[in-house]
Amino acid sequence: DSGVTQTPKHLITATGQRVTLRCSPRSGDLSVYWYQQSLDQGLQFLIQYYNGEERAKGNILERFSAQQFPDLHSELNLSSLELGDSALYFCASSGDLRHGYTFGSGTRLTVV
Amino acid sequence: GENVEQHPSTLSVQEGDSAVIKCTYSDSASNYFPWYKQELGKGPQLIIDIRSNVGEKKDQRIAVTLNKTAKHFSLHITETQPEDSAVYFCAASIGYGGSQGNLIFGKGTKLSVKP
């Protein structure tokens, strides 16, 4: 157990729908990162939050949004889903400089 | 922004042989270079990392080297075992986490160790 918890583990939904993925960071970590992993694109950085505020943005589509709540958990919202959004979505967290970045076990999203 | 290239994409070795995976990065400001191992159905797991003030780091059978001038770093696994079979990712970031930076990954290397 890495200490980073992601729910749900699996999600199957239809095109056009909206889903929410949840991440609880390792205890004490203030930063949360979201990554998308697809077969042909590897791990793509989507967005980073630090202590509730957006810190950096990567290749995140406008249909996707995220937020980090006062208890530091984060949610990634994916809307108007397309078949191409099917992927593994990972959350990572980081805190002090000794531990670097820790990943959760991911949410597998399948859009049908 | 940062771009990380990783080679080879697949690597097959005999048990007991060494394996080497190489990465190059583009942003000279990057100062943290971790390596992750990902097994099927699991999230990436940190196996070793190196910071830009160090040229080499070793942890048992795993070592990482960094050449800041050439902007490349490599993972070396000696005496490979079947349980080393997995996908390995290199990454680079400016900063070591916390409020700083975010990891940019290479596309991964699928390592197969044949018994």
Side-chain angles (χ1 to χ4, degrees), chain B residues 25-68:
Chain B
Y25 61 98
S26 61
D27 193 339
S28 56
S30 290
N31 58 1
Y32 177 63
F33 307 93
W35 287 87
Y36 285 83
K37 176 183 181 182
Q38 187 177 25
E39 297 174 315
L40 201 60
K42 297 184 178 180
Q45 181 182 14
L46 178 69
I47 56 171
I48 196 167
D49 58 9
I50 192 167
R51 302 186 182 192
S52 59
N53 58 347
V54 175
E56 184 173 357
K57 184 176 177 181
K58 190 173 181 179
D59 183 3
Q60 298 183 343
R61 297 185 297 109
I62 295 173
V64 58
T65 59
L66 171 65
N67 184 325
K68 286 188 294 182

Side-chain angles (χ1 to χ4, degrees), chain A residues 31 33 35 37 40-45 48 50 55-56 88 90 94-105, chain B residues 32 34 36 38 41-46 49 51 89 93-107:
Chain A
S31 267
Y33 311 79
Y35 287 84
Q37 185 176 37
D40 58 345
Q41 291 295 322
L43 280 155
Q44 295 285 311
F45 168 66
Q48 175 198 2
Y50 176 75
R55 182 56 65 103
L88 273 166
F90 286 103
S94 71
D96 61 64
L97 303 184
R98 293 170 297 173
H99 294 102
Y101 306 76
T102 303
F103 280 78
S105 56
Chain B
Y32 177 63
Y36 285 83
Q38 187 177 25
K42 297 184 178 180
Q45 181 182 14
L46 178 69
D49 58 9
R51 302 186 182 192
F89 291 94
S93 74
I94 302 171
Y96 311 131
S99 64
Q100 306 172 46
N102 57 82
L103 291 174
I104 302 301
F105 283 86
K107 289 191 180 294

Side-chain angles (χ1 to χ4, degrees), chain A residues 10-112:
Chain A
H10 302 278
L11 199 49
I12 301 176
T13 190
T15 54
Q17 295 298 304
R18 172 189 170 94
V19 297
T20 297
L21 313 183
R22 182 188 170 98
C23 169
S24 294
R26 206 168 55 100
S27 179
D29 286 357
L30 299 180
S31 267
V32 170
Y33 311 79
W34 286 97
Y35 287 84
Q36 179 191 56
Q37 185 176 37
S38 54
L39 281 174
D40 58 345
Q41 291 295 322
L43 280 155
Q44 295 285 311
F45 168 66
L46 296 178
I47 197 164
Q48 175 198 2
Y49 277 82
Y50 176 75
N51 202 20
E53 295 191 1
E54 182 183 304
R55 182 56 65 103
K57 240 177 182 177
N59 300 319
I60 188 166
L61 300 173
E62 286 190 9
R63 300 183 286 109
F64 296 0
S65 64
Q67 52 184 328
Q68 185 179 28
F69 295 86
D71 67 352
L72 300 178
H73 91 270
S74 178
E75 293 181 356
L76 179 67
N77 300 295
L78 314 176
S79 61
S80 303
L81 285 167
E82 302 175 357
L83 295 178
D85 297 327
S86 295
L88 273 166
Y89 291 84
F90 286 103
C91 166
S93 73
S94 71
D96 61 64
L97 303 184
R98 293 170 297 173
H99 294 102
Y101 306 76
T102 303
F103 280 78
S105 56
T107 294
R108 180 174 293 280
L109 173 67
T110 303
V111 182
V112 297

